[in-house]
Amino acid sequence: MFNRLVVFCLILPHLYNGHCFGETVATVTSQQEEVCSKSVVNSCDDCIKSGPFCVWCKQLDFTKPGEQEAVRCDTKAQLTGRGCTEGEIISPQNDQTIDKGESLSESFNNQEPIQLSPQKISLRLRSGSPNTFKVSFKRVEGYPVDLYYLMDLSYSMKDDLENVKELGKDLFAALKKITEHAQIGFGAFVDKTVLPYTNTNKEKLLKPCDENDQQCQAAFGYRHVLSMTPKEDDFKNKVTEQFISGNLDSPEGSLDAMMQAAICGDKIGWRNSSTRLIVLTTDAGFHMAGDGKLAGILEPNDEHCHMDNNLYTNSAEMDYPSVGQLAVQLEKNNIQPIFAVTKNVEDVYKELSQMIPKSEVGVLSTDSKNVVKLIESAYNRLSSKVTLTHDNLPDNVQVIYTPKCKHPGPSGETEGVCENVQVGQEISFDVTVTAYSCMKDKSFTIRPQGIKDTLTVTISTNCECQCSDPGPSGHTHCRGKGNVSCGICSCREGSIGQFCECDVGGKDEPALRASCQRHNGTECEGRGDCVCGRCECHTTEGGNSYYGDFCECDDEHCEKFQNKLCGGNGNCKCGKCECFKSHEGSACQCGVSEEGCRTPNNTVCYGRGTCKCNRCECKEGYQQPRCQTCLGCTDPCQTKLNCIECLGFESGPFKKNCSEACVSIHHVMVDQSTIQSKKCHQKDSEGCWINFNLDQLVGEDNYKAEILKQRDCPAPPSIAAIISGSIASVALIGILLLMLIKLVIYTKDLKEFKKFEIEKKNSKWTDGVSPMFLSATTTIENPTFTGE
């Protein structure tokens, strides 16, 4: 059972997203059962693509008349058993060619050493069939080492800098133990020279250290100090010229510095053939991608070199790199970092080391005096561990590494590991490659981490049959009307059929084939051959025949119960069970009985469902187990109101045709109701309240109703009260209106009077006589007076 599962995973990798095989494939033995899992096979090519154990028989007359050509596709054992000779079986095999396989170098002699073999290999694979080849590796004695010492020069590292200035001799001595071809470089970093990382006051930028410290250099992000050199004095002189600097926050720009040191290879001086090391010494954590937003720096790191006069020029314009970006560039440039950090940040850098391949973490003493010993032990751990991995793996290709060494690590799909590998010791890996889809000339690279040597693997697949068919003239096997292609006939235009035996005549070939298609466009449902516009059905696996106009029927694929077709209680007819009289159900799994569907009133499901398998299948809305209640139905008090009104009181919408519209209700008029199941209190069309009770009888719409004889109708209105009330209301409104008008007039007069009083109070009176004023003079004359 285990072996069968393994083969199924190999055949259908897409069902497992490429994750089912890992260790399973590694445990497959030569004794596993070969299975050909095929679906629709119309040609030799379809067969070969179906699975790694599928082979094709091209032998003529292998198929019987009416038998589908798909029987030519099966495992080799099955086809041989059916009479196919060995020479007529087509089964593409895996093939590998070593295009470049130079032998491993013994030692370094100032030439390009070879530590990995072979260097190029071409694979021609059968889809789904694994192929294994051997890859050898040997550490070359005296292989060059390039070490770049990258130091944190923030103010907290002041004491460490003084010790580093004196370690040149010891550092070179340690490297000479490893190789005669050692070089060393030096770089320094602090942080971005912008707020909030560094004080941007002009004086503080020039001297960010303590005021009492006279030897302090200006703030900077990353500075390359010394390119790779084999001279101890150069290292000592350059490091001696360095002074401490400073910044504000605790994390430093370590990742910025490492990124530039990794990608600016021409400025750092990395050699093509060397073990490349970056030794990062610091006592603080690091900023990473996203932290630049605090300073308004939004542009992501572009992973390019930006060095001018040995300074990182884009420090204030570009964000810190992410850990992923840095890991990619370190791996791409074969650089192995050693994090020499103080105890307080050891855990932080150990987590960082887990995300960067081929890296180590060592703990510095408080004054960095142990840095040389730390570098030496970290290098030994890095160089003695060989990790073989790959890049640019094509889709649907799986690679499994099996290490062959004294101290192997776990084998896996992403890498193979050998521990404690000594200089000059040759080890090897078995690399198993499996392609799960058809492809041509797809390549990927296998390489040891931290080593320049690579192996290029080119994959092509065998997805087409190479058949030695007869010439283009008509073949007798095809009635002279077609050619043989891998054992089957390829008919000329105007002829169709398994052996080109059918002449199309007046109809075109698509029309004839369309007459063999039902709904899904598949000819004869894939169970027969379309011969002259009619389906000739194949035999089933059980030896019977498919039947029907489109071969849509067979008597072997009905529902099973207790692993028996139709439960052993019926016959399978065209995919459906026809049960014996004693049984029922989709698989004839139930004995015929209504005992479980009987209700207390001796009905079956209250007439609102059917009894199947001794269980009620209720009509929509009604609830099991006996279909007694309907939770989703409309309230019958409302739906039956019009019938109740016309039956009980001869009124309402159904008054004229009450007997026809309300045949489903059996009613009685009562003074007091005895039915308790459904009590109703509804208002009829005349505004009266009707009280009636309903009891649902057997059936879906059948009720018994008890209607109370007395309706609750509202009393008619009093005409006198309405008239008197209206008159009183009009009188009251008139009085109120007059009072309102009077109030408005009074308010206006009161306002005018107050205004008059104010003007009177403010007026000034005088007793003087206006000079323009002349008093009146009265003159009396007697017309009869003569003066005498």
Side-chain angles (χ1 to χ4, degrees):
M1 186 65 183
F2 170 74
N3 289 334
R4 183 182 298 273
L5 174 63
V6 172
V7 174
F8 188 71
C9 286
L10 286 169
I11 293 169
L12 300 175
H14 57 281
L15 297 179
Y16 298 84
N17 295 322
H19 296 295
C20 78
F21 353 86
E23 297 179 1
T24 306
V25 174
T27 59
V28 175
T29 67
S30 59
Q31 298 178 350
Q32 67 183 32
E33 182 181 357
E34 295 184 358
V35 177
C36 176
S37 179
K38 56 189 178 181
S39 53
V40 179
V41 175
N42 295 315
S43 66
C44 181
D45 291 352
D46 292 341
C47 177
I48 299 304
K49 295 174 185 176
S50 297
F53 301 109
C54 292
V55 298
W56 178 265
C57 179
K58 68 174 183 176
Q59 182 174 305
L60 298 181
D61 297 325
F62 179 75
T63 55
K64 301 174 183 178
E67 191 175 28
Q68 57 184 334
E69 296 291 356
V71 299
R72 294 178 178 273
C73 182
D74 214 320
T75 63
K76 186 175 182 179
Q78 291 290 336
L79 293 181
T80 303
R82 287 175 58 93
C84 187
T85 60
E86 183 80 19
E88 298 294 327
I89 292 178
I90 299 175
S91 178
Q93 300 297 314
N94 292 339
D95 180 60
Q96 64 184 44
T97 303
I98 297 178
D99 301 316
K100 185 178 181 181
E102 297 182 15
S103 58
L104 301 175
S105 301
E106 295 295 333
S107 61
F108 182 76
N109 55 0
N110 292 321
Q111 294 181 352
E112 191 78 20
I114 297 173
Q115 300 184 102
L116 186 72
S117 183
Q119 294 79 43
K120 289 184 180 180
I121 188 170
S122 297
L123 304 178
R124 187 162 180 81
L125 304 179
R126 172 77 184 273
S127 177
S129 178
N131 183 80
T132 301
F133 57 89
K134 179 181 177 181
V135 177
S136 300
F137 175 84
K138 182 165 64 173
R139 289 179 59 192
V140 172
E141 185 176 357
Y143 195 71
V145 174
D146 287 342
L147 187 149
Y148 191 71
Y149 198 97
L150 189 57
M151 185 172 184
D152 176 6
L153 288 188
S154 59
Y155 193 74
S156 58
M157 294 287 288
K158 181 179 178 180
D159 294 339
D160 302 77
L161 177 60
E162 297 304 319
N163 290 319
V164 171
K165 291 179 179 180
E166 303 298 329
L167 63 78
K169 181 178 180 180
D170 296 336
L171 191 54
F172 268 94
L175 292 176
K176 291 297 182 181
K177 293 179 183 178
I178 300 170
T179 177
E180 293 295 325
H181 310 281
Q183 291 190 152
I184 193 168
F186 187 85
F189 67 91
V190 184
D191 208 347
K192 295 183 183 296
T193 55
V194 292
L195 282 173
Y197 317 115
T198 303
N199 191 336
T200 55
N201 182 283
K202 186 176 182 180
E203 294 180 357
K204 281 294 184 180
L205 282 175
L206 295 175
K207 187 180 178 182
C209 309
D210 192 295
E211 294 181 359
N212 298 325
D213 199 327
Q214 298 301 318
Q215 293 183 327
C216 179
Q217 62 175 313
F220 64 96
Y222 162 66
R223 175 181 286 115
H224 170 56
V225 178
L226 176 66
S227 298
M228 291 295 174
T229 177
K231 299 179 181 179
E232 178 184 333
D233 292 339
D234 290 349
F235 178 80
K236 182 177 181 180
N237 294 336
K238 284 292 184 180
V239 175
T240 304
E241 296 173 0
Q242 299 305 306
F243 299 106
I244 212 69
S245 186
N247 63 328
L248 291 177
D249 62 342
S250 177
E252 314 295 2
S254 315
L255 302 193
D256 257 349
M258 291 182 69
M259 176 64 80
Q260 292 301 304
I263 59 184
C264 298
D266 55 337
K267 300 183 183 297
I268 303 300
W270 300 113
R271 287 175 290 183
N272 288 333
S273 299
S274 66
T275 298
R276 301 176 178 182
L277 304 175
I278 289 181
V279 178
L280 179 80
T281 58
T282 182
D283 64 349
F286 52 87
H287 285 295
M288 66 181 72
D291 288 354
K293 292 181 179 179
L294 294 173
I297 302 174
L298 304 179
E299 183 178 353
N301 195 285
D302 62 2
E303 302 180 44
H304 288 105
C305 181
H306 298 282
M307 297 281 288
D308 188 14
N309 292 327
N310 290 331
L311 273 176
Y312 176 34
T313 56
N314 282 33
S315 175
E317 289 80 31
M318 196 171 292
D319 197 6
Y320 301 96
S322 67
V323 174
Q325 286 178 306
L326 180 61
V328 167
Q329 290 301 327
L330 290 173
E331 188 174 6
K332 180 179 178 181
N333 291 282
N334 299 316
I335 297 174
Q336 305 173 60
I338 299 174
F339 300 109
V341 298
T342 53
K343 185 67 176 178
N344 61 309
V345 290
E346 178 187 6
D347 293 340
V348 175
Y349 281 89
K350 280 187 175 180
E351 291 182 9
L352 176 62
S353 177
Q354 292 177 1
M355 292 182 280
I356 298 179
K358 293 289 284 185
S359 61
E360 284 289 334
V361 178
V363 179
L364 280 172
S365 59
T366 54
D367 54 4
S368 299
K369 286 185 177 180
N370 67 331
V371 66
V372 174
K373 184 177 180 181
L374 186 153
I375 293 172
E376 188 176 2
S377 60
Y379 170 78
N380 289 331
R381 289 194 300 271
L382 285 173
S383 59
S384 64
K385 180 179 179 181
V386 179
T387 303
L388 200 66
T389 186
H390 55 257
D391 293 324
N392 305 317
L393 190 68
D395 294 335
N396 297 320
V397 174
Q398 181 196 35
V399 180
I400 296 177
Y401 299 94
T402 305
K404 301 293 182 180
C405 52
K406 292 183 180 179
H407 305 282
S411 60
E413 296 182 29
T414 57
E415 61 184 26
V417 178
C418 278
E419 306 274 3
N420 300 326
V421 179
Q422 304 302 315
V423 174
Q425 177 185 352
E426 183 175 338
I427 61 172
S428 65
F429 297 84
D430 284 344
V431 181
T432 303
V433 180
T434 310
Y436 292 101
S437 63
C438 296
M439 62 188 68
K440 185 176 181 180
D441 296 334
K442 298 288 186 180
S443 298
F444 67 96
T445 302
I446 294 177
R447 61 181 181 81
Q449 289 182 353
I451 305 294
K452 181 186 176 183
D453 299 68
T454 60
L455 163 60
T456 301
V457 181
T458 303
I459 302 177
S460 294
T461 52
N462 285 320
C463 289
E464 297 179 356
C465 294
Q466 303 295 330
C467 300
S468 300
D469 296 318
S473 59
H475 197 281
T476 56
H477 180 70
C478 305
R479 308 295 192 267
K481 301 175 183 179
N483 304 319
V484 173
S485 175
C486 292
I488 61 176
C489 287
S490 176
C491 301
R492 298 172 185 167
E493 186 176 355
S495 298
I496 58 174
Q498 185 177 8
F499 305 106
C500 306
E501 70 275 15
C502 178
D503 292 324
V504 175
K507 295 184 179 180
D508 58 357
E509 183 176 352
L512 286 174
R513 292 192 177 278
S515 63
C516 296
Q517 300 172 3
R518 189 164 58 159
H519 304 302
N520 57 9
T522 302
E523 290 184 8
C524 304
E525 298 294 317
R527 298 171 171 179
D529 297 313
C530 186
V531 179
C532 299
R534 297 188 63 183
C535 287
E536 291 186 0
C537 301
H538 300 149
T539 56
T540 64
E541 296 176 359
N544 299 316
S545 295
Y546 294 103
Y547 61 93
D549 293 339
F550 304 97
C551 305
E552 72 275 14
C553 293
D554 73 272
D555 298 338
E556 296 178 2
H557 293 85
C558 287
E559 189 175 345
K560 291 184 178 181
F561 177 69
Q562 293 181 345
N563 205 29
K564 294 180 180 180
L565 200 65
C566 298
N569 302 310
N571 298 319
C572 180
K573 295 294 183 182
C574 196
K576 291 186 178 180
C577 289
E578 293 184 357
C579 303
F580 302 146
K581 291 183 179 180
S582 59
H583 285 78
E584 60 182 350
S586 59
C588 304
Q589 72 274 26
C590 309
V592 175
S593 174
E594 294 182 346
E595 189 63 31
C597 302
R598 288 288 174 182
T599 64
N601 60 1
N602 201 30
T603 64
V604 176
C605 306
Y606 285 104
R608 297 187 278 273
T610 56
C611 188
K612 292 185 178 180
C613 285
N614 206 26
R615 183 181 179 185
C616 288
E617 291 187 1
C618 304
K619 294 182 179 179
E620 185 177 0
Y622 289 93
Q623 304 297 304
Q624 291 181 340
R626 300 289 187 275
C627 311
Q628 184 173 10
T629 59
C630 181
L631 299 180
C633 298
T634 308
D635 187 5
C637 292
Q638 299 178 8
T639 59
K640 305 303 178 186
L641 174 61
N642 292 334
C643 283
I644 295 297
E645 184 179 357
C646 77
L647 291 172
F649 304 101
E650 298 181 355
S651 62
F654 294 164
K655 178 180 179 181
K656 294 182 179 181
N657 61 337
C658 187
S659 57
E660 292 83 4
C662 303
V663 293
S664 62
I665 298 179
H666 310 279
H667 78 285
V668 291
M669 304 298 295
V670 296
D671 294 320
Q672 186 173 0
S673 178
T674 59
I675 298 175
Q676 303 298 323
S677 58
K678 184 66 176 178
K679 297 183 178 181
C680 303
H681 181 67
Q682 299 289 325
K683 182 180 285 188
D684 62 13
S685 60
E686 297 179 353
C688 297
W689 291 95
I690 301 176
N691 294 302
F692 60 96
N693 291 358
L694 294 174
D695 187 14
Q696 189 170 9
L697 304 177
V698 176
E700 193 171 358
D701 188 25
N702 192 17
Y703 291 89
K704 177 183 177 182
E706 289 184 345
I707 307 173
L708 293 184
K709 297 177 180 179
Q710 187 64 38
R711 289 190 294 179
D712 295 333
C713 297
S718 174
I719 303 301
I722 292 174
I723 294 174
S724 59
S726 300
I727 294 173
S729 299
V730 171
L732 179 60
I733 291 172
I735 293 172
L736 291 175
L737 187 59
L738 290 174
M739 291 177 67
L740 180 60
I741 294 172
K742 183 66 177 175
L743 179 62
V744 171
I745 294 173
Y746 174 77
T747 302
K748 184 177 181 182
D749 290 347
L750 182 62
K751 185 177 180 181
E752 291 292 333
F753 179 74
K754 287 183 177 179
K755 182 178 179 181
F756 170 76
E757 288 290 331
I758 292 171
E759 290 177 350
K760 180 180 178 182
K761 183 177 179 181
N762 293 335
S763 65
K764 295 182 179 180
W765 305 93
T766 179
D767 295 333
V769 179
S770 172
M772 300 295 293
F773 177 76
L774 295 177
S775 59
T777 302
T778 304
T779 302
I780 301 173
E781 290 184 3
N782 186 352
T784 63
F785 182 66
T786 61
E788 293 180 358

